[in-house]
Amino acid sequence: MRSLSVLLIAALQALVIASPQPLPLSIPLARKSTLKTADGHVDPTSIRAYISIIEAKLQRGAAAFERNTGKTLFSRSLSKRAATSGSDPLVDDKNERWYGTIEVGTPLQTFTIDCDTGSTDFFLPGPSCGDACNGHEVYNPNSSSSAEALGRNFTVEYADGSMATGDLYTDTVSLGGFKATAQTLGVASLYSYELSSDQFGADGLMGMAFESVSEYGANSVFQTLVSQGAVPEPVFALKLASPGPELNVGSVNSALYEGSFAYTPVTQQGYWQVAGDAIGINGTEVVNGFSAIVDTGTTLILGDTSYVSQLYQAINVTGIGGGVYALPCDAMPNVTITLGGKSFELSTETFNFGTYNSSENTCIGGIAGSDGLGDQWILGDVFLRNVYTVFDVGNSRVGFAELA
Ligand SMILES: *[C@@H]1O[C@H](CO)[C@@H](O)[C@H](O)[C@H]1NC(C)=O
Ligand SMILES: *[C@@H]1O[C@H](CO)[C@@H](O)[C@H](O)[C@H]1NC(C)=O
Ligand SMILES: *[C@@H]1O[C@H](CO)[C@@H](O)[C@H](O)[C@H]1NC(C)=O
Ligand SMILES: *[C@@H]1O[C@H](CO)[C@@H](O)[C@H](O)[C@H]1NC(C)=O
Ligand SMILES: *[C@@H]1O[C@H](CO)[C@@H](O)[C@H](O)[C@H]1NC(C)=O
Ligand SMILES: *[C@@H]1O[C@H](CO)[C@@H](O)[C@H](O)[C@H]1NC(C)=O
């Protein structure tokens, strides 16, 4: 049984690994809204802070991986109700988070959750959370005949200062109409300000990555569904583009994509970490062969600073510091990312991350450089909004197809 002390030690280790970043503990509740100012402009300082948050999130997961498996995750160390069964309409909260619904307990009670492929654990506000959870739907294990206390507590902390702590339970969970029993979930007794209902629109968070990066040492909700044979196929699929972003559970929705899927194998079951073929810009192939984490919990596309700088150099764009790049709003490049042998173009709207200096018609590019990711790329929403993505647990691969 993992005790608090182990969790605390892990937290301290993460702190040490991530130092000297000021708030180094993170899993995926990145406050993406902080990336844009009230008038819709992008503040490069927020992007730089955000890159640190994502680095810390991945470092924390990597620490959990090492604890759970005894192996190293990365080769270089990291400095609403389903309309039809199996589909869960997602709410696009101003392109910031991906909210869906989940039902928990006996009788079933509905909650909204932030769906995150870049983490594994699931938590909800609990009855002793009080004012800190005002405005959120509260899950009370005492009101559920199928809830069981695990006798362990949990604490999750985030690089932006947000934090949730509470007790671990197991209970019945229904996602997309499919039911899992004895799912491990965190019942929070405290939410920090950043998770308060006016800052965080979902009630809780549901991770969709592998058990090996779980802080709880438990399966994700989806993995539990698969291991209990509760879903028709061991896959889930995501459309993040508007209109109608959607999570499909247990099957793909053939109405949402065209042609066939280009598949790439999962190279390490921790995050959804895959091998990619190439990244090009305006017809120049800059990156040939890369490793990437497919993460709905990351807004941007992130890559190692040296590769990202080469990418922008190919179109004569130099950075404005801290891995952030600005370019003319009316000359957005044609970025292509090749996965499973198929090239996908980033649309101008997804690549253009917003105006930086409106008086100069300057916009921020949706690909940014990071020093803390080793040679990993992070394919976040800037990429995922261009494709329909299937996460295939059964065949340990990720497939990408053109949107219908
Ligand atoms: C739940 O039940 C336990 C054990 O009976 C009790 O100690 C606790 O106060 C209850 N919590 C709530 C929120 O009702
Ligand atoms: C977690 O449990 C330990 C005992 O196992 C206790 O000492 C500690 O105060 C608990 N922490 C929280 C935040 O509830
Ligand atoms: C983008 O680049 C790819 C690869 O060079 C090319 O096939 C495609 O036609 C380009 N798209 C546009 C809109 O220029
Ligand atoms: C980049 O700048 C150099 C030097 O001014 C020029 O020779 C080259 O054609 C430019 N490349 C592109 C893609 O515009
Ligand atoms: C890259 O391609 C875009 C779109 O075709 C174009 O507007 C831009 O000028 C190109 N950049 C360079 C440096 O050639
Ligand atoms: C925007 O451009 C103007 C004109 O060059 C400049 O004075 C201003 O400092 C720039 N603002 C930012 C945020 O870079």
Side-chain angles (χ1 to χ4, degrees):
M1 186 169 81
R2 182 153 331 122
S3 66
L4 174 75
S5 60
V6 174
L7 289 175
L8 276 181
I9 289 165
L12 288 170
Q13 282 169 343
L15 199 73
V16 170
I17 292 163
S19 94
Q21 285 155 13
L23 292 161
L25 296 179
S26 171
I27 50 178
L29 294 181
R31 294 178 56 212
K32 299 172 189 172
S33 55
T34 60
L35 289 181
K36 287 189 183 169
T37 59
D39 59 3
H41 288 208
V42 178
D43 175 4
T45 312
S46 311
I47 295 186
R48 288 174 199 125
Y50 181 76
I51 293 169
S52 302
I53 290 172
I54 295 301
E55 288 168 1
K57 159 188 165 171
L58 296 171
Q59 284 161 352
R60 191 169 164 84
F65 182 90
E66 295 190 23
R67 216 159 57 237
N68 291 334
T69 67
K71 291 188 291 182
T72 306
L73 182 53
F74 300 111
S75 53
R76 274 165 63 184
S77 70
L78 292 174
S79 40
K80 285 140 199 159
R81 272 314 298 266
T84 58
S85 185
S87 92
D88 191 355
L90 295 177
V91 177
D92 177 359
D93 177 18
K94 298 186 210 119
N95 302 339
E96 287 164 7
R97 290 177 191 281
W98 306 105
Y99 299 146
T101 58
I102 195 166
E103 295 167 289
V104 183
T106 308
L108 290 169
Q109 185 186 351
T110 303
F111 301 90
T112 55
I113 34 146
D114 181 6
C115 300
D116 179 30
T117 65
S119 66
T120 301
D121 297 319
F122 171 39
F123 67 81
L124 291 171
S128 53
C129 188
D131 288 352
C133 289
N134 269 351
H136 286 310
E137 187 75 16
V138 166
Y139 164 78
N140 185 347
N142 284 10
S143 310
S144 170
S145 62
S146 45
E148 305 259 5
L150 283 178
R152 283 162 50 194
N153 52 29
F154 76 98
T155 299
V156 286
E157 297 181 58
Y158 310 92
D160 63 350
S162 58
M163 187 271 291
T165 187
D167 296 299
L168 292 178
Y169 282 79
T170 59
D171 205 345
T172 297
V173 163
S174 175
L175 182 68
F178 302 113
K179 219 181 247 192
T181 57
Q183 171 64 40
T184 301
L185 75 151
V187 180
S189 52
L190 183 66
Y191 264 17
S192 70
Y193 169 76
E194 292 78 5
L195 294 175
S196 62
S197 56
D198 55 344
Q199 302 292 311
F200 181 62
D203 300 316
L205 181 138
M206 180 187 68
M208 306 191 84
F210 295 92
E211 179 182 4
S212 51
V213 296
S214 164
E215 291 287 333
Y216 306 166
N219 273 335
S220 70
V221 170
F222 187 74
Q223 186 68 56
T224 304
L225 287 170
V226 171
S227 58
Q228 293 177 1
V231 279
E233 293 171 62
V235 300
F236 67 91
L238 281 163
K239 178 197 171 193
L240 298 187
S242 293
E246 188 174 301
L247 164 68
N248 296 104
V249 181
S251 64
V252 298
N253 181 346
S254 54
L256 298 182
Y257 68 97
E258 275 175 355
S260 55
F261 284 101
Y263 287 103
T264 179
V266 171
T267 49
Q268 177 66 68
Q269 289 191 354
Y271 296 111
W272 285 94
Q273 189 176 343
V274 299
D277 301 324
I279 303 177
I281 192 161
N282 277 20
T284 305
E285 192 178 280
V286 177
V287 176
N288 193 332
F290 64 98
S291 174
I293 290 166
V294 184
D295 183 11
T296 58
T298 298
T299 305
L300 297 160
I301 295 172
L302 298 179
D304 185 73
T305 23
S306 63
Y307 289 116
V308 170
S309 129
Q310 284 172 43
L311 194 70
Y312 283 102
Q313 258 165 31
I315 54 163
N316 281 347
V317 169
T318 50
I320 56 171
V324 181
Y325 291 78
L327 57 172
C329 300
D330 54 7
M332 286 294 134
N334 173 13
V335 175
T336 52
I337 298 187
T338 308
L339 293 152
K342 191 165 175 171
S343 251
F344 298 93
E345 278 178 40
L346 305 189
S347 70
T348 301
E349 307 83 72
T350 53
F351 181 80
N352 184 344
F353 201 65
T355 55
Y356 162 51
N357 192 334
S358 43
S359 62
E360 286 190 326
N361 183 35
T362 306
C363 287
I364 299 285
I367 301 181
S370 155
D371 289 325
L373 298 173
D375 39 19
Q376 294 301 312
W377 286 77
I378 314 297
L379 296 177
D381 300 345
V382 166
F383 173 68
L384 294 172
R385 294 167 73 84
N386 294 282
V387 291
Y388 185 60
T389 309
V390 59
F391 297 82
D392 185 340
V393 171
N395 295 301
S396 196
R397 61 184 182 171
V398 181
F400 302 92
E402 298 286 354
L403 289 165

